[in-house]
Structure formats: structure tokens, C-alpha cells
């Protein structure tokens, strides 16, 4: 599950150790996809309340989903060294998990660009989770957003990456 | 550590179940503080590389910190039902944790306003962590952002909240 | 229904005719509310499709509503001479109107500030309507957004304003 | 004047009825243009005042025009499921119409991209109209923004679209 | 003309040398004003062209002015450690200076807040100047933006500040 | 050092003198680079304080650098008639200059696009300089940002441009 680049140079740091944006202008545009995930853990009472209150109109989950999609489009404004990219597809899903209890959140982002969209997918799940927290925080402040992680990336010359998860 | 509001109504949903922004215009301005935290877990190799590469100029941590501060100011643009608020103070710290291995991230936000700044503090630690991920992802894609949570909030009529953590 | 200021000076223009932002720094903060409205007219086929497709999860209307709320918070970034204001409440509703056929959109914005929130309410209904158009434009490009107007404003020394509408 | 897609599926809704962004990453880039329009209706007194006050420097119309151009560039940040696109040209014009009385507003947007720019053109006329309202609202609050509509779109595989208008 | 604080601590750096936002939440709101200035130097040919081309509609100067006003509202999003503030007034003027040749730009910003608006005024003149450069750069790329500086600030406990300029 | 276009038409003004965005949709994408520069002049006392206070963590310069990079990505949102562009590389450097005394700031921006990135490079140095001012203004308000200028541009059919500077 762990992938470590043995060439231990931080590509965002130049020779003097200063932060810098990696130059991607010479790379060719290829189709790239990234999938990220996280989960929001809460008490059973909160989980039940969201399920019940949400039933008629689905607004908690719908709002969190829209927030995640819109946040993916803000990624390069939030993460200082991210490149602004055209985005072909952003999909965010929140899946109830009664065992957690809480919600599993998944985001898939696709682009045809010179660099990947890992940060866009990670930003989408993070903001969807923060929005879920915001909408339920009057019920419970002890909710936790857990395990924001990259599930897979494809496309690009650095090779594909994929986490093996049971679920 | 868990606080559950027994009056299980979602204040962001109105009677019809639609999403809505809570009306705070009639509340008085009081001094409010919120502290949030999370951690970024990585391999020892990545942790060592950041420590070494970061030594001369501190740019990985410095960049993540600035990103967290700037993101706190974007909270109401990211979280759909958050109120735009003046912010009196935003502080973000990244503390190396060799046992994790990785980084502990803390954010403190202070305002004098009609409503609290929990979401600003949670957004700050989230984006600081995403930025750390971005700057080290060429080394390791399996890093995880863990346990984004509210440590405490003070001020406001709903009462103070505080998590008891050993650390 | 029409209110015309007989003192025909454009307060956004200074003596030389240049655009300027009105100085509100000397005004006192009072509670202010503005309500705006518009409608989106479509064919019966489109109206029926939205009603049907929307039934299970309510996403067309839910998405338009969230877009309207978030746009109200962007008003001072979109309208050059608008003042950035704290906003205490933003409410957006989309009401199906089978006779139109289409949707009636209403937005209410409340603030405690030195100047009013008419533009925030008007921006909210406009962007909610544009979002509805976006989500249904694959069905029909001839939809029209009609009669974006201020229904009422209260608070502030310029006096209250209210449109008398039958509906 | 009306175009209705007989295949009544809302492409922004997936099989479960959730809101989603349409995947355009597999489409090829083609030159696309969209033209939108609306009008701002006002009293003759307001129309005359804008004409007179505006004469020396043209700021009301100039400001509204700039606001419309800048808003077109914010479209994907305002409309949740719009794709961020490069924009090759944005043109906004405000034409006085003494018969209305008021202003006719037209926007043309051109891109070379995987999807069209209808929403960018519609957003441009909407925000130009809102800005005109803002700059003249001290004179008259009963102004109305009318008939925001798509006049034409060209380029893209879904075919061209054009409204037949007398004017 | 120079004011040097003999207590040579950088208030944006905490004890560990990290960047931080100064806490202003305990300060009281007072009326504050800041005036900033700069100039854009160009060849006589460019100056003459702007004067001539600008005559009928004033768009070069009008566009630069609007850009400066809108940029002032973005200050806290651009300058990492600036506080988001309500702004009561923003005024930007571009004055032709045939001797330079070029334009003198002045911005005045007023707020009632816990901290000053020097950065808002400086940002306004900077972006107005950049916009002027953008609109004339097809004529001359060697234009220079010179002497962005604070002319005065009033209000706040750190005392007033004023530059003595001959002009 | 001065380049003047003898064809004295302002390409941002159309035949009627209105501001307009130049249509670049028919141009082909080529690799383009722009380099801009400016300097921040301060007293020796301020220069010494920044050098000393900055030594342990480099935050003043690091923060200004990040602000410059992030601002380059906001260029088309700040400058009304700039085209939104993908950016392949943004590099910002602040070099201490004891003779000034103060800092020399340089920014290099690279894109593969239909139009150039002069404004992005100029915006980057401007905001980096404004950030430096902000972080040191408690020490000295009389700092000046000087000579914001384009050093070179390459790529594009209008030809290369380069300033001959001694330094």
C-alpha cells in the first residue's frame, strides 16, 4: 500500500531549498484520472439524525457533494504550487456506512493535461467532508474526518498508482 | 470526548428539509476562538527527506502554513452554508512527530462575531495538510491525512467545547 | 410598483462623472433585509422532466439553491462598486409553477451593516436561475430567465421599499 | 424559437438522480461560440438620467461592461457543474433602447474547448445587468432585468442553435 | 519622508520566526483611512495614443479604475497575512501627467475596523497600474510602474503617518 | 530599452473606443515565457531587521514568494481583459541587495497557450513586493516598490522582447 520514491528529492524544492512550481510546460497532454477517498466518523445518534432529516430532500449529502465538486475547481487557488488545469470530470459520492458509523466519501477527477489531478480529488473529498461536518456540527462537534488518501491515479509518465483496499 | 446534542434537529435544514443558512443577524458579537487539529502520516523515508530538504529554508512547512492561513480566509467560499466573517487571528503550526512518523498540524482562529470559527480552523488544518501532501507526493503517494477534528471552541451562547487529549 | 428618486443624481458617479464607491464608513450598522425574485420559463416537457428526474434526490433544485446562496457571498466580487458585507442570513427557494410553466425563485438576505443587501438578493436569484438553466439546457436551450426584480428592502435611512404583487 | 430535446434525460443527473458533472475529457477541442442577451427595463426618468450622467465619461455602461467580462471568467466558480474553460474572447455590449426604455445587453463568448460557453455568455449578460441595476438603484429600485436568454451557439457535436428574433 | 520603527521586531514573525497573522481581535473598531500612490511612465507616443484613443469613451482609464477598486476588495486573498475587513469606501483616480509622461494613480480606502487599510490602498494602485499596462502593452512594452508608496494613514493607535510630497 | 509600436492603435479598444478582450481563439498554442522584475527600497535598518529576523526560518521572503506564485494564478481575475490561461511554471525569487538597500524581485512564467504571460509575471512581482511591504510595514511605512517592468518575453508571433540591463 505504500509507494516510496527512492530518489529522495522533493521536486517542489529547487537547489537552494526554495519552494517552486514544477515546470510542466514541456510535457504532453494525456488523459489522467485520480480517485481519492476519506470517511467521516460520527456517533450513531448523529448518523441516524442525518439519515432521518436527510430523507425527504437529501440536502446534507447533496450540499456536501456540490461543495466537493466546486472545491475541486478551486484546487490551484488553495494549494500554492498546484497548476491551474482544465477539468473534464469531477464526481463526488457520499456513501452511508452504518458500521463506521458515518459516511465514506469518494471523488474521481479526470483531465486531459500535462500533469495529474491527485490534489483535485483529495481537495474534493476534504471539502465534501468539511461541509458534512458543518451541516451536522450542531448535533455533534466530535465528528472526525479520517484517512484522506489517494486510492489511484492513472495516466502520466510517472506511472500508475493504486492502493489495494479490501472494501 | 463526544458531545451529542440530544435535540436531534439539523439546524441547517428548515422545516421542509431544504438546506439553509442559519440566521445569525440577531445575535450579538462576542469574542470566539476555535482550535482544530489533524496529522499527516508518512513513511520514515519521506519524513526524513522533508526534514533534510526542509532544513535550509523551511519551505515545505512554511508553504503549508501560509496555505492554511489563506484557506481559512476562503472558508465561507468553500463551505456553502458558512457565514462570511471578519477574522482577527489565524495561526497554523506544523510540528514534526518522529513517532508517527509525520506531522501534527494545529490551527487557532479568533474572531469577534455573531457565530463561531470552527469551520475556519478545520479548513486551515485541512488545506495545510493537503499542501504538505502536494509538496511531498513525488516522494510518496501513500501519505494519509488523519483525524481532522475540533479540539476546542470558546465563546458564543451554545457553550464551550473541549476535547480531552493526552498529547 | 415603481419608485423613482426625483433627485436624479447617480450616487455612484462623482462630480467628474467617474465611477466611485459610495462612502458608507460614517453610517451606523442597522439590521437590513432585502428580498428579490425572478422566474425561469420553460416548455411543459422540460418542466415535467425536471419534476420527474428531480423526484428521487431533488438535485436540480438543491444544486440551484446552493449555487444561489454561494453566489450571494460573491456579490462584492462580481459587482464592482458593491461593498463587502458580513451576511447574517441567505435563503433561496425555488417553487414549481405549473402555469408558467417553470420555477419561481425567491431570495432573502439579512445583514447588520452600514448599507443594504439588495444586490446580494438579486445576485442570489440570478445565479440560482442560471444554474437551473445549466442543469436543464441539454433538454431545452430556449428557457428564459425573467423579471429579476427587488420585491422589498427594509432597514437603512433611505426608507423601506416594497413591491405590491398579487402573488 | 423553442428547442426541446425529446430524449428527456437530464445529463447532469446520473442514474441515481445525483447531481454530476458531465465528463467531457474524451471530447475533442473545437471552436465554439455562444451569444446571449437580456434587457434592463427602467422608467424614462432613470433612462434619461443615465444618458445624461453618463455622457462625459461613460462610466455606468463602461463599468457594467467590465463587470460582465470579468463575470464570464468566474462562470465555473459560480455554476456548480460548469467546467473551467480557457476563454478566447468575451465581448459585452450595452445598447440604449429608448422605446423600452432601458438597455439591451449582448454578450459573445468564444472558446476552443471540449464543451460550449453558453453559461459564460449568459453569466456575462446577467452580471452586466446586475451592475447596471446597482449603479442606478439610488434613482429607481423598480428596474427589472428581463429575458435572459441564449441567442445562438455554434460548434460542438450537439449542433448549432439559433433563435429567430425580429430585432 | 521616512519613518523607521526603532523597536526592530517584525510583528508578523512570532518568537520562533514563523510567519503569523497579528491578532487584532481585541482591538476596538475605529475609522481609518489610507492613501497610496504610484505612477506609470511611458513614451510620449504611448501617452498621446492613450489620450487620443481614450477620448471618446474613456475606457482605458475607466477600466483601470474599476480594476483597482475590485482589487482592493481582494487584498486579503492576495496578501497572505492581511485580515479580511469590511471596506467603507474605495476611490481610485488616474491623472494624466504630460511631463512624466504617463499617469499618476491615487487610491483612498476608508474602513471602520480593528486594523488599517494601507495594503488595500497599495493593492488598488498596483492593480490599476497593471491594468493600464495591460491595455497599452501592444503599443509599448517598456512602460514602468514606479514608486508604489503609502502617502498617508490616519486612525489606529500606532499613530498617523504622512509623507511630505512637493506635488 | 524602449519599444514603441508605431501602429498606434490600442488593441484593447474596438472601433467605438469601448474596452474589449482581444480574440485569441484562432491563434495556435505556442510555448511562451515572460520575465518581470521590480525592487523594494527600504532603510538600512529595515533591511537589517529582515535579514536578521528572517535568518532562522526565512518566512518573510518565503511568504512573499508564495504570495507572488499564487497571485500569478489570479491574474485573469484581477486584470479585466486578461485571458484565463493554463500556466506551466511560475518562479518567483527575492534577492537581497545591500546597496539599494532592499530586495530585487524576479518572476518567470511559462505557458503553452494562444497568448503571452507578461501580465502574469508582472502580477507575480507586484504581489510579492506588496507582501514584503505588508510583513515589514510595522518597521517602516516609507518603503517603496520601484520599477515594475517586463524584462523579456519570448514566443508568439508579435516577436521576442528583451530589455538590456546591466545587472
Amino acid at each position: 500500500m505504500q509507494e516510496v520514491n527512492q530518489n529522495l528529492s522533493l521536486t517542489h524544492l529547487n537547489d537552494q531549498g526554495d519552494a517552486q512550481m514544477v515546470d510542466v510546460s514541456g510535457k504532453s497532454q494525456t488523459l489522467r484520472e485520480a480517485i481519492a477517498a476519506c470517511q467521516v466518523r460520527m456517533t450513531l445518534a448523529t448518523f441516524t439524525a442525518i439519515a432521518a432529516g436527510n430523507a425527504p430532500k437529501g440536502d446534507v449529502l447533496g450540499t456536501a457533494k456540490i461543495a466537493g465538486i466546486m472545491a475541486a475547481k478551486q484546487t490551484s487557488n488553495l494549494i500554492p504550487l498546484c497548476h491551474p488545469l482544465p477539468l473534464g470530470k469531477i464526481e463526488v459520492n457520499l456513501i452511508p456506512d452504518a458500521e463506521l458509523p458515518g459516511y465514506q466519501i469518494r471523488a474521481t477527477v479526470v483531465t486531459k493535461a500535462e500533469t495529474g489531478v491527485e490534489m483535485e480529488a483529495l481537495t474534493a473529498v476534504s471539502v465534501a467532508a468539511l461541509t458534512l461536518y458543518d451541516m451536522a456540527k450542531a448535533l455533534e462537534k466530535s465528528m472526525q474526518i479520517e484517512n484522506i488518501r489517494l486510492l489511484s491515479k492513472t495516466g502520466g509518465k510517472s506511472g500508475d498508482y493504486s492502493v489495494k483496499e479490501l472494501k
Side-chain angles (χ1 to χ4, degrees), chain A residues 35-41 92-95 97 100 102-107 121-132 144-151 165 167:
Chain A
I35 304 178
C38 74
Q39 61 205 36
V40 182
R41 185 186 298 273
V92 176
N93 289 301
L94 294 96
I95 305 115
D97 180 342
L100 192 55
Y103 287 84
Q104 302 288 344
I105 305 180
R106 295 276 182 286
L122 289 162
T123 300
V125 295
S126 301
V127 174
L130 288 167
T131 299
L132 196 160
Q144 296 213 13
I145 302 171
E146 298 178 342
N147 298 341
I148 299 177
R149 63 200 184 279
L150 185 67
L151 290 187
E165 293 204 346
K167 172 167 305 220

Side-chain angles (χ1 to χ4, degrees), chain A residues 22-140:
Chain A
V22 178
D23 187 355
V24 303
S25 57
K27 300 172 73 176
S28 59
Q29 294 187 330
T30 61
L31 200 63
R32 294 156 188 271
E33 182 190 74
I35 304 178
C38 74
Q39 61 205 36
V40 182
R41 185 186 298 273
M42 55 191 63
T43 63
L44 185 57
T46 305
F47 181 71
T48 306
I50 292 178
N54 189 46
K57 294 262 181 162
D59 272 299
V60 173
L61 302 187
T63 303
K65 181 175 191 162
I66 293 299
I69 290 172
M70 294 182 84
K73 296 189 272 189
Q74 295 301 323
T75 302
S76 67
N77 296 332
L78 293 170
I79 314 292
L81 303 179
C82 266
H83 297 80
L85 295 177
L87 301 176
K89 173 188 169 181
I90 306 165
E91 183 177 330
V92 176
N93 289 301
L94 294 96
I95 305 115
D97 180 342
E99 287 180 47
L100 192 55
Y103 287 84
Q104 302 288 344
I105 305 180
R106 295 276 182 286
T108 302
V109 180
V110 179
T111 192
K112 190 174 175 185
E114 292 86 354
T115 187
V117 282
E118 297 96 311
M119 296 317 302
E120 280 77 4
L122 289 162
T123 300
V125 295
S126 301
V127 174
L130 288 167
T131 299
L132 196 160
Y133 184 99
D134 177 50
M135 296 186 79
K137 72 178 190 291
L139 291 175
E140 177 193 349

Side-chain angles (χ1 to χ4, degrees), chain A residues 148-162:
Chain A
I148 299 177
R149 63 200 184 279
L150 185 67
L151 290 187
S152 71
K153 73 177 278 282
T154 58
K157 74 170 185 179
S158 76
D160 292 351
Y161 169 78
S162 177

